[in-house]
Amino acid sequence: MLEIKNATKVFNPGTVNEKIAINDVSLTLNNGDFVTVIGSNGAGKSTLLNAVAGVFRLDGGSILIDGNDITGIPEYKRAKFIGRVFQDPMTGTAADMQIEENLALAARRGKKRTLRWAITKKERERYKEALASLGLGLEDRLTAKVGLLSGGQRQSVALLMATINSPQLLLLDEHTAALDPKTAAKVLEITEKIVTEERLTTLMVTHNMRDAIAHGNRLIMMNAGKIIFEVSGDEKKKLTVEALLAKFAEASGSVFSNDRALLG
Amino acid sequence: MGLLNSMPGAVAQGLIWGIMAIGVYITYKILDIPDLTVDGSMVTGACVGAVLVSLGVNIWIAMLAAFFAGVLAGLLTGVFHTFLGIPAILSGILTQLILWSVNLKTLGQANMSVSARVYNVALSQLNKGDAILKLAIICAVLIGVLYMFFGTEFGAAMRATGNNPKMSRAQGINTDFMKVVGLMLSNGIVAFSGALLMQYQGAADINMGRGAIVVGLAAVIIGEVLFGKISVNFAVRLGGVVAGGIIYYIVYQTVIFLGIDTDLLKMLSAIVVAIFLAVPYWKKRFTRPKIKQGESGVSGDA
């Protein structure tokens, strides 16, 4: 489904701040894979996701979706295949626009935007149902500005937007990191529900080791721009945080350090 | 001339500048781009309109041509900004300078009289009542068309671009394209208002657009302050912008009536706009942020 081949990205090349963010990374996702990504600070997790989303051009390697090379395609065109939720709740939604307007914008992802009305009566019903499924009471606030919502509510709406048209690939970039633990758990629960129901191929970066183990069918660990450890299936289910930390020390030769990491 | 006698003129000029300010609103408020092209494109509209009318072209066709001349000016600024990567403010200044030459060449001289006594124009200060009526109708139609436009899929994508470009790209919106189209639309409207002002004054002048952006911003801000609280409806907001233009000119005429040195008027306008632009910033600096309870709580009804 998604093939990342020998992807390399160097930030600030030729300066003292030069940083090889991802270094010759290859990764293949099969249809329906739910892959969690963990790693210490600056390991290249977000860079990998942004490379797939097309935020910048790769310095080497290629990216394919369903066999089509999308390496040179700009970000806004890739959106046709890809749904994304960001870490910052402010980033994923248009704060000054209504909830239904945000959803309608997302529903037209990858389609031509014409001079027809931005939102129809029929889709309004559909949004109402989708919002009701979140269980946050947002179904009665279709015309409320998204900026009035709490962080968790905004992330839930962003999640709905990202998945509204069943994208071929869902990219979640630490989308619960900015939320308090209780809210994060709720958003993650919604994530799990949508991903399972729609059988979405998903790449989820997380700072929470326990979440990384509990969700998805595959787990990859990154360090210094490389994938250093991968586990899937039954082996992943049996994984513990302690075992994961040991693996990290073994594979990287250093101690896992992430100022946001939740180990327990 | 009494103050009261100058009011119809103030209303008519205010309506024209209100139309201009609607153009400013599209870039400044909707796209979040401070566009200085308008100082030039307003004059471009006046020059194109004046030349065509003097050649005997129908005034409405001349106004349409003025609109499209502005559209081209906006296209140039848009290309500077998006394709060439030049900061928005500088892009506008560059186009403004280019337009100075273009306007001089178009007009062939620094100013040109287009008297309503000689040419067939749509409105003139010689008949203020008629001018106000026609301008009010033009405003209403323009607001109606824009209200519908920004309610379409395309218009919503443009609003999203100004509100959150990163999110817009993630939702498949070509934000650069949206910015260019927005700049074109905005400058088209501004140039159209220039053609109206040319008719009203009975002349096109190479200097008539100097400081136009400040007047436009003043109208937008006045409209926001006075009408922002009434309704969030887009049409009401645009109506507020036009009202802002009218209020600006009523104050302007009053200040002149009170006997202030007219040489100082532009400075005073700029200072007033600077103060209003500073208010939100200082408010934020000196008021404690209110911490809402359950800020990040999912269940919280924030």
Side-chain angles (χ1 to χ4, degrees), chain A residues 75-76 79 90-96 101-102 105-106 108-109 113-116 118 136 141 148 150-151 153 180 183, chain B residues 148-149 151-154 156-157 159-160 163-164 166-167 169-174 232 294-298 300-302:
Chain A
E75 184 182 4
Y76 75 91
M90 303 297 159
T91 311
T93 45
D96 292 341
E101 284 180 323
N102 271 276
L105 277 171
R108 283 157 183 77
R109 194 168 57 224
R113 290 172 205 266
T114 66
L115 290 180
R116 275 192 279 268
L136 302 174
R141 301 176 63 190
L148 298 171
S150 68
Q153 287 172 330
D180 66 74
T183 311
Chain B
M148 286 194 282
F149 171 73
T152 64
E153 293 174 344
F154 192 90
R159 282 188 288 143
N163 196 216
N164 187 344
K166 198 171 173 186
M167 166 268 191
R169 281 191 292 277
Q171 300 304 341
I173 295 166
N174 185 347
V232 291
E295 184 63 36
S296 58
V298 165
D301 201 54

Side-chain angles (χ1 to χ4, degrees), chain B residues 5 18 25 27 44 55 64 75 84 86 97-98 106 110 191 211-212 214 222-223 261 270 279:
Chain B
N5 285 335
Y25 186 91
T27 47
T44 304
L55 291 174
L64 197 67
L75 174 65
L84 301 181
I86 301 169
L97 207 59
I98 289 170
T106 307
V214 174
I222 294 169
D261 183 352
V279 166

Side-chain angles (χ1 to χ4, degrees), chain B residues 9-26 38 42 135-136 138-140 142-143 146 186 188-194 196-197 212-223 235-250:
Chain B
V11 172
Q13 288 215 53
L15 281 165
I16 293 170
W17 285 91
I19 293 169
M20 185 271 176
I22 286 178
V24 172
Y25 186 91
I26 291 172
V38 295
M42 186 165 195
L135 287 168
I138 290 170
C139 277
L142 183 65
I143 290 172
L146 288 177
S186 163
I189 293 169
V190 170
F192 177 74
S193 79
L196 290 171
L197 188 61
I213 181 71
V214 174
V215 182
L217 282 177
V220 169
I221 294 166
I222 294 169
V236 175
R237 283 181 178 217
L238 290 183
V241 170
V242 175
I246 295 171
I247 291 166
Y248 178 89
Y249 266 90
I250 288 176

Side-chain angles (χ1 to χ4, degrees), chain B residues 88-291:
Chain B
I89 291 203
L90 203 49
S91 299
I93 292 174
L94 290 175
T95 307
Q96 196 190 105
L97 207 59
I98 289 170
L99 289 178
W100 176 267
S101 298
V102 170
N103 295 339
L104 261 179
K105 281 289 171 198
T106 307
L107 213 55
Q109 59 210 49
N111 54 63
M112 180 193 242
S113 166
V114 192
S115 170
R117 294 196 177 88
V118 182
Y119 300 105
N120 247 329
V121 291
L123 50 94
S124 157
Q125 59 182 344
L126 300 178
N127 187 347
K128 293 200 174 72
D130 174 72
I132 289 172
L133 180 69
K134 281 175 179 157
L135 287 168
I137 293 170
I138 290 170
C139 277
V141 171
L142 183 65
I143 290 172
V145 169
L146 288 177
Y147 180 76
M148 286 194 282
F149 171 73
F150 283 105
T152 64
E153 293 174 344
F154 192 90
M158 190 177 282
R159 282 188 288 143
T161 297
N163 196 216
N164 187 344
K166 198 171 173 186
M167 166 268 191
S168 300
R169 281 191 292 277
Q171 300 304 341
I173 295 166
N174 185 347
T175 49
D176 280 350
F177 179 71
M178 284 297 159
K179 283 181 193 169
V180 174
V181 175
L183 283 164
M184 288 164 74
L185 179 63
S186 163
N187 281 289
I189 293 169
V190 170
F192 177 74
S193 79
L196 290 171
L197 188 61
M198 173 273 295
Q199 296 173 63
Y200 183 78
Q201 293 181 341
D205 188 299
I206 195 76
N207 283 314
M208 68 197 283
R210 182 158 292 168
I213 181 71
V214 174
V215 182
L217 282 177
V220 169
I221 294 166
I222 294 169
E224 191 123 290
V225 170
L226 296 181
F227 292 80
K229 293 250 160 28
I230 296 177
S231 166
V232 291
N233 182 290
F234 187 66
V236 175
R237 283 181 178 217
L238 290 183
V241 170
V242 175
I246 295 171
I247 291 166
Y248 178 89
Y249 266 90
I250 288 176
V251 173
Y252 190 89
Q253 292 288 357
T254 309
V255 172
I256 291 175
F257 177 76
L258 293 175
I260 201 162
D261 183 352
T262 48
D263 288 350
L264 298 178
L265 281 173
K266 278 204 191 323
M267 184 179 83
L268 291 176
S269 301
I271 290 172
V272 168
V273 168
I275 290 170
F276 274 102
L277 288 177
V279 166
Y281 173 75
W282 284 93
K283 246 188 190 165
K284 219 190 276 173
R285 266 190 83 161
F286 284 113
T287 52
R288 279 160 193 258
K290 278 180 222 147
I291 296 161

